[in-house]
């Protein structure tokens, strides 16, 4: 559906769910993205929630590399009045460190600005997640500050970094329309 | 329920809704709050939507009253039980702005958040152009943490948003608890 240099973004399919469930409950994912408690959610509940989430017009994409599912990403909490959205992405443990996340973020930003006419894309990321922060900076995200001790991960409170990229900045740097 | 002198934060009642409706459709109030477009909402729709709001430990709504008279609305909401944080919000009738009612109400709400609810952190968002609000929040100890660039469309242009936070340890130091 949407192509980058390394990845393809496409709608999530029913047969993606087992792999997405494994990534979702992998503790290494939790340590990286934790914004909710890790709990033993049964697959049936995950399936149900995911179906509802996808149906509620959230802009959720599966990330594929050479036909293989490597993660998911989305634009969510879309504010149609102020024209901004939050960006979220998860890459499965075996697929990290290969540039897939960075490429997927670029594809999603092109979608947000050129296809959906948004003004601003924002995100929050744990201050300890250097890999993710580097990917976001590489795509033009600017740090706007830190929410102090806003998250709790593995025994300690952690700061959350707020970042954003504006339409004017992104289009200016890409020569988009 | 929560009191300080002539100021009280009490549970909301249906009788409080008409005034809240008037504030919600007041352009000047909307321009202070940001985030929600100014829309021609009818009283019936406002009242019905309000009755659908979830209320409970995770969404505390208060009427702000001075000498028993309703002058505003405030809330402690968006509870994150893992990180033990919540967001505050407050709206005051135009007639009581500029009299420190806001900061007194927020001070009461902070005591409730840290002492009654045992929170680790309280945060809020406001517009960068809302100077009276920023002054009031700074006065009760909030620290500016992020500036959301061009986050709200208000009255013909994009405006930045400021998020502020206050940690329990900071509040305790300033309020000499225990």
């Amino acid at each position: 559906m949407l192509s980058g240099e390394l990845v393809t973004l496409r709608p999530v399919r029913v047969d993606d769910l087992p792999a997405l469930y494994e990534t979702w409950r992998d503790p290494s994912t939790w340590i990286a993205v934790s914004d909710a408690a890790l709990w033993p959610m049964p697959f049936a509940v995950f399936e149900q929630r995911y179906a509802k989430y996808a149906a509620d017009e959230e802009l959720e994409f599966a990330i594929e590399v050479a036909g293989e599912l490597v993660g998911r990403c989305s634009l969510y909490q879309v504010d149609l009045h102020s024209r901004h959205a939050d960006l979220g992405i998860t890459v499965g443990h075996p697929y990290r460190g290969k540039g897939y996340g960075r490429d997927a973020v670029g594809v999603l930003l092109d979608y947000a600005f050129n296809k959906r006419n948004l003004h601003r894309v924002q995100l929050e990321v744990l201050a300890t997640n250097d890999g993710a922060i580097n990917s976001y900076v590489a795509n033009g995200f600017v740090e706007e500050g830190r929410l102090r001790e806003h998250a709790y991960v593995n025994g300690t409170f952690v700061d959350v970094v707020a970042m954003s990229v504006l339409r004017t900045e992104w289009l200016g740097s890409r020569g988009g329309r | 329920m929560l009191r300080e002198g002539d100021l009280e934060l009490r549970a909301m009642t249906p009788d409080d809704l008409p005034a809240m409706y008037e504030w919600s459709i007041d352009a000047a109030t909307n321009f202070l709050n940001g985030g929600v477009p100014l829309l021609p909402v009818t009283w019936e729709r406002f009242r019905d939507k309000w009755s659908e709001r979830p209320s409970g430990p995770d969404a505390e709504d208060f009427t702000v009253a001075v000498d028993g008279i309703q002058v505003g609305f405030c809330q402690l909401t968006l509870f994150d039980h893992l990180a033990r944080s919540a967001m505050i919000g407050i709206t005051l009738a135009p007639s009581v702005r500029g009299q420190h009612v806001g900061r007194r109400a927020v001070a009461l709400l902070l005591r409730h958040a840290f002492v009654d609810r045992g929170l680790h952190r309280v945060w809020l968002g406001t517009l960068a152009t809302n100077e009276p609000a920023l002054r009031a929040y700074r006065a009760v100890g909030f620290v500016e943490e992020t500036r959301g660039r061009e986050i709200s469309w208000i009255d013909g242009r994009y405006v930045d948003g400021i998020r502020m936070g206050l940690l329990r340890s900071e509040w305790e130091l300033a309020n000499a608890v225990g």
Side-chain angles (χ1 to χ4, degrees):
Chain A
M1 189 180 159
L2 303 173
S3 294
E5 287 177 35
L6 301 173
V7 308
T8 301
L9 268 48
R10 59 156 176 79
V12 173
R13 295 191 300 250
V14 166
D15 54 320
D16 293 328
L17 293 188
L20 291 178
Y21 176 65
E22 288 310 315
T23 297
W24 178 86
R25 62 192 201 133
D26 170 2
S28 76
T29 300
W30 228 263
I31 284 169
V33 306
S34 164
D35 66 350
L38 179 63
W39 66 282
M41 183 188 288
F43 179 68
V45 175
F46 177 83
E47 230 180 342
Q48 227 175 31
R49 289 192 181 187
Y50 209 90
K52 180 181 190 307
Y53 170 71
D56 282 349
E57 295 178 76
E58 302 290 2
L59 304 170
E60 177 84 0
F61 295 92
I63 305 170
E64 238 183 34
V65 173
E68 192 175 349
L69 179 73
V70 303
R72 42 67 58 188
C73 61
S74 68
L75 297 172
Y76 63 101
Q77 282 179 26
V78 181
D79 182 324
L80 295 174
H81 171 67
S82 293
R83 313 206 59 76
H84 62 247
D86 283 57
L87 182 149
I89 178 167
T90 314
V91 174
H93 191 120
Y95 306 105
R96 291 174 198 158
K98 301 178 195 298
Y100 299 153
R102 175 193 294 206
D103 195 44
V105 168
V107 174
L108 205 46
L109 288 179
D110 176 87
Y111 179 75
F113 294 122
N114 278 325
K115 305 292 187 298
R116 302 308 298 250
N117 200 14
L118 293 180
H119 177 75
R120 167 188 163 95
V121 176
Q122 60 198 27
L123 60 87
E124 292 178 6
V125 57
L126 294 180
T128 43
N129 195 346
D130 296 315
I133 293 174
N134 290 338
S135 287
Y136 298 139
V137 169
N139 275 286
F141 278 91
V142 170
E143 181 172 332
E144 295 183 323
R146 302 194 157 206
L147 303 169
R148 300 167 308 141
E149 300 185 24
H150 194 65
Y152 182 87
V153 182
N154 219 23
T156 183
F157 288 101
V158 176
D159 292 353
V160 171
V161 179
M163 307 183 82
S164 78
V165 57
L166 301 177
R167 172 188 199 76
T168 42
E169 295 170 331
W170 195 84
L171 290 180
S173 73
R174 302 291 158 117
R177 290 177 300 273
Chain B
M1 189 186 130
L2 306 173
R3 283 175 199 274
E4 183 261 307
D6 58 353
L7 180 71
E8 183 189 7
L9 303 190
R10 58 171 175 75
M12 275 184 57
T13 71
D15 292 340
D16 296 328
L17 287 183
M20 292 180 57
Y21 172 64
E22 292 305 319
W23 302 332
S24 78
I25 57 171
D26 170 49
T29 303
N30 177 267
F31 297 163
L32 290 175
N33 284 347
V36 180
L38 192 60
L39 297 171
V41 177
T42 63
W43 155 245
E44 288 77 17
R45 183 166 161 79
F46 178 85
R47 179 200 57 205
D48 292 348
K49 289 209 83 174
W50 200 268
S51 71
E52 289 162 21
R53 263 168 83 94
S55 74
D58 281 8
E60 297 192 39
D61 293 331
F62 296 93
T63 284
V64 180
V66 172
D67 291 329
I69 297 177
Q70 175 192 17
V71 299
F73 161 76
C74 66
Q75 56 178 177
L76 189 61
T77 189
L78 296 186
F79 279 77
D80 178 334
H81 293 292
L82 178 61
R84 291 177 38 229
S85 69
M87 183 187 83
I88 65 164
I90 181 165
T91 300
L92 294 178
S95 59
V96 297
R97 290 178 200 155
Q99 299 165 31
H100 290 198
V101 171
R103 70 183 66 177
R104 289 173 62 203
V106 170
L108 274 178
L109 203 49
L110 286 175
R111 178 164 291 273
H112 175 67
F114 290 121
V115 177
D116 297 338
R117 298 302 304 266
L119 294 181
H120 174 77
R121 167 185 164 81
V122 174
W123 58 279
L124 62 92
T126 192
L127 294 180
T129 45
N130 192 346
E131 268 302 326
L134 292 170
R135 277 199 299 272
Y137 296 134
R138 285 184 207 124
V140 297
F142 278 98
V143 173
E144 288 183 25
E145 294 177 334
T146 75
R147 173 177 281 258
R149 301 167 309 143
E150 301 186 19
I151 200 168
S152 278
W153 176 264
I154 306 276
D155 200 21
R157 64 193 180 108
Y158 283 108
V159 173
D160 293 354
I162 301 288
R163 283 203 285 180
M164 309 179 83
L166 181 60
L167 300 176
R168 175 190 203 79
S169 53
E170 297 168 331
W171 182 83
E172 284 178 343
L173 214 57
N175 288 273
V177 169

